[in-house]
Amino acid sequence: MWSVLWAAVRSKAPYVTFPVAFVVGLVGYHLERVLRGDPPPTAEEEKSISEQREDRKLQEIAGKDLTKVVSLKDKLEFAPRAVLNRNRPEKS
């Protein structure tokens, strides 16, 4: 008789454990929300990472004059470095 009982328990285990896990998770979620005390931010208030990055970049370049750039003749870092810097011209 025990083998029939254990076989029935094994076959019906997913139907029992899912609702139990769901209730435990739901209770834990609400308990944590009560203990923390702060409401979760709404979707309208929360900015995405890319929006935060764009805002930060705009703040960084707000006070700069973007028309003044270094000439490519003066800037030698755009050329790849050769072995032991043999092919790189020296600045005089």
Side-chain angles (χ1 to χ4, degrees):
M1 184 68 188
W2 283 106
S3 61
V4 173
L5 181 67
W6 283 115
V9 168
R10 262 187 280 143
S11 67
K12 304 296 182 193
Y15 302 112
V16 174
T17 56
F18 177 72
V20 171
F22 184 77
V23 170
V24 168
L26 193 65
V27 168
Y29 173 78
H30 288 295
L31 182 65
E32 182 179 355
R33 187 173 175 188
V34 167
L35 291 177
R36 283 191 177 187
D38 57 345
T42 61
E44 297 172 6
E45 296 173 1
E46 193 173 312
K47 288 186 175 181
S48 67
I49 300 293
S50 60
E51 288 175 343
Q52 291 175 2
R53 184 181 303 125
E54 288 174 1
D55 290 343
R56 181 179 42 83
K57 286 181 179 181
L58 285 174
Q59 289 175 0
E60 287 176 359
I61 64 171
K64 293 182 181 178
D65 185 14
L66 299 177
T67 59
K68 296 184 180 187
V69 294
V70 179
S71 171
L72 288 179
K73 291 180 182 177
D74 298 334
K75 188 177 179 182
L76 295 175
E77 281 77 25
F78 71 93
R81 292 185 173 221
V83 177
L84 301 176
N85 290 331
R86 288 186 295 182
N87 297 335
R88 189 169 186 171
E90 296 293 327
K91 278 185 129 177
S92 52

